[in-house]
Amino acid sequence: MEENKSFDWSTDLKEVPVREWEDRFTWVEEPYVSPDGETIASIVNVEEGVFTVCENGETWDKEYDKAWNLRPLPDGKFAACVSSDEEWTLSISGNEWENWFDFIWNLQVNQDGSSLSLAVQKDMEYGMAVNDKPWDQMYENINEMVLSDTGSSAAVVQVTSMVQADIEVFKNGIFSCAVNGKAIDKKFLNIWDISFDSAGKNVAYGVRLDRTKYSIAVNDTAWDKQFQSVWKPLFISGDESVIAPVKEGGKWMLYKDGQPFWNKRYNQIWHLVVSQKTGNIAAIASDKFGKWTIAENDVTWNMAADQMISDLVYSKDGSTLVAVLKDKGFWTLAVNQKKWNLGADKVFTPCVSSDGNIVSVVIERQGQYFLVVNNIVIPNGYDFMATPVISPDNTKILQKAVKDGVYQRLILSMDKIL
Amino acid sequence: MSNDMEIKDKPSVVKEKNTDEAVEAGLAKLTPERIKNTINQVLQKETGPRFKAYVETCMHCGLCAEACLYFLSNDRDPSYSPAGKVKQTIWEMLDKKGEVSIEFLRRAVHIAHTECNVCKRCSMYCPFGIDIAYLMLMVRRICHKLEITPLYIQDTVNSHSATMNQMWVKEDEWIDTLQWQEEDAREEFEDLRIPLDKEGADIMYSVIAPEPKFQAGLLYQAATIMHAAGISWTMPSSPGWDNSNMAMFTGDNEISGRIARAFYETAARLKVKKIVMGECGHAFRSTYDVGNRWIGWAMPPFEVVHALEFYHELLTSGRITIAEKFKKTVTLHDPCNVSRGRGLHDMAREVTNMLCESFIDMTPNREHNFCCGAGGGVINCGPPYKGERMINNKFKAEQLKATGAEVLIAPCHNCHSGLEDIVHHYDLNMEVKFLGDIIYETMEKKIYKPGD
Ligand code: SF4
Ligand code: SF4
Ligand code: SF4
């Protein structure tokens, strides 16, 4: 990430005492740390029914009846869903949106932090709001909300009313995909897994046409071909094409624009990722029942996990592909086909350098958090750790950790670790 | 069972078999061509050697009949015996190579969906271990593809498909309910939380949709137990929180798998160590055995424990202490899916004995227990079939009555609802409770501190 350049990479250690917060407040909720590591924040309870957020020891100016869903934003501020007098809005470091709702949830933030979206409910009507602007049109129900990197929003909305247990009405299709509040004029039995193209203009999603027929739709048009099931589609090749895992004849395959794309038939493939740089496509896959691997351009890795592969990420240059997996009861990573030996109870979100040379991740073992860099576990255990950041020149790593009631923002030198 | 235990003044066998508008509307649309193709597709393409072996091995010996609640409740009418149900469905479908009539299908839906709890009790009595439940689920798969699934259970599957929960609970309703229960529970523990989306918590607690919809008090109780026990836990604010799976019982395997995926990926997103589920039997079967396997997870990717295992752990480790044992006499219904399916029956007795002063077992018990009569999606077929269900559960009513207990513990939602129906219908004068109800009533309301 380019913005990492502006981070303070020269101060070795900054500390914020956090234990004292527990004396100041009735309770302190789980901490969140800003991307630059400068700020640690928690929702705190001041007294019965009074909540605010404490950032580095300073509380927000405002207090609320309720607060939840605290999240750090790319610019170092924090956002939380807050409520006063039974109405809800988003508060960004104490500054509320102008619009208040009967309920809000599902806070999403795009990559550069320029757009924040929520699912909102007002007078039992549902929609989304992006940067304090609610959709013009509201609906009976909403699911599957997404926010594009360009700030477009989309969700599955219910466009036809249905009384309880009316399966005939359901059968005719009561759902549409709404983009920026406007429902596409096409109803389906089910809609799942909306993907935006990179321009945030077009959408692709999985649909069910009747009880047993599934397909992929792009905007208002479903592929001609129908399948036994489908998973989330993805735009590729500069938004020209849409790919999706589909099930046919009891096996899963990758299709592109309604035609077979990869040749191999899998027991399972899902969770597609594409490298913007190289155009390589990867997916979590299973060749043999109960064995999980990665398929990259239709070639499976020489690696298997017997429990789960939960996440998959390319480095910016596309040279490195990192999978988070669980094998023989423990979590670990696999980097370019090579399984690490972390034996962790939990593995958090990995951080991959732009050139793919450094992979760092926080793990938990027996209740203690550890930082791992290129398969080396740094022996100091902590009570809590947030996702680390690798410096743009790969020489340093920013560790964000809490130990013995003190938050430490620590710059570690890579040559001392590796 | 002696005569004085018998339940009087209730119809003794099912005389009228009901149907519903969804079944009838579906049947009206069928063509002989579609019936034949669908049956043959499922029986030829979707079954394996196991199916063939079952169909070919059955000796028609009838030993399985004694096992089945339906047979015993209906004056030992052979049409209710496990093998009788197969004879009236799968065998004829095979025999006629799929060329069966509408009348036949009307009966087949009825048998597969309302006269079998897919409880697998009969498999234990069959010398060859033939899995009748599996064969009945195959019939349901055919009904699903022919779109003749009973109305109310189909509606729950529709809900699953659209919302990933069974009862059309809207996303805000779910979160709002948790926050409301959390606030109420602060009357007892001022700093109690139901931590939402707490990444890295040790435990994800998951429930079935009837809890937020109708029984929010159970969420309150669970939160109290978690808080007092000092557990690092979380609940998801997103879909994936409902661990139930009615699609597994209608043969909609595709939706069933989608539900299982949403469930486990939610646990993965929250980076928890294990999943604790509320007191539900079929949800356990779905996440532990069926849904996960359809997706390709040979074993569940996370450790999943049923509430009763979790309670056992809390009580034996001293994280929860009992102030005063429950006084009324209790009996325990072993839910098939956690007892026969998972072997938790001894643990269930240990928990009951740790909580209650006076426990009377029912006979038969443990893995030999009879199904509550509601399970396997039978109760979910709804009001049109309730009258028949009550008659079909007569034998279960007798079994319950024979215990003479004041309280009936049922650590499974389906069982709980079904047993309540039985208790009312047969005037058994028993209170039906979850284990969680009793823990909440008897526990010391103090927060566990290690070393105490
Ligand atoms: S599975 Fe249970 S309900 Fe079904 S036939 Fe066997 S014993 Fe009877
Ligand atoms: S006991 Fe087994 S072999 Fe005998 S009739 Fe029943 S299913 Fe067939
Ligand atoms: S409802 Fe309960 S007793 Fe009945 S099949 Fe399910 S677990 Fe078994």
Side-chain angles (χ1 to χ4, degrees), chain B residues 67-70 82 85 115-122 132-133:
Chain B
C68 185
L69 182 59
Y70 291 80
K85 295 175 207 184
E115 294 176 5
C116 175
N117 295 106
V118 294
C119 75
K120 298 191 181 216
R121 189 170 194 268
C122 47
I132 306 284

Side-chain angles (χ1 to χ4, degrees), chain B residues 117-119 249 281-282 285 333-338 340 370-376 412-416:
Chain B
N117 295 106
V118 294
C119 75
F249 287 144
H282 95 269
R285 177 170 177 170
H333 165 77
D334 292 284
C336 328
N337 288 318
V338 295
R340 202 152 36 248
F370 286 105
C371 175
C372 62
C412 162
H413 269 278
N414 260 321
C415 308
H416 199 277

Side-chain angles (χ1 to χ4, degrees), chain A residues 63 68 79 103 117 147 166 248 259 294 304 329 331 355 416 418:
Chain A
E63 291 177 339
W68 72 289
F103 204 77
S117 73
L147 174 69
D166 191 337
E248 213 183 16
Q259 301 292 328
I294 301 299
W331 288 92
D355 63 2
K416 293 213 180 97
L418 300 177

Side-chain angles (χ1 to χ4, degrees), chain B residues 277-289:
Chain B
M277 18 205 334
E279 294 180 58
C280 182
H282 95 269
F284 195 74
R285 177 170 177 170
S286 151
T287 53
Y288 199 81
D289 185 22

Side-chain angles (χ1 to χ4, degrees), chain B residues 377-394:
Chain B
V378 171
I379 194 171
N380 309 78
C381 292
Y385 306 96
K386 188 175 170 192
E388 292 170 51
R389 176 160 56 85
M390 289 302 94
I391 299 168
N392 289 332
N393 291 352
K394 191 169 129 241

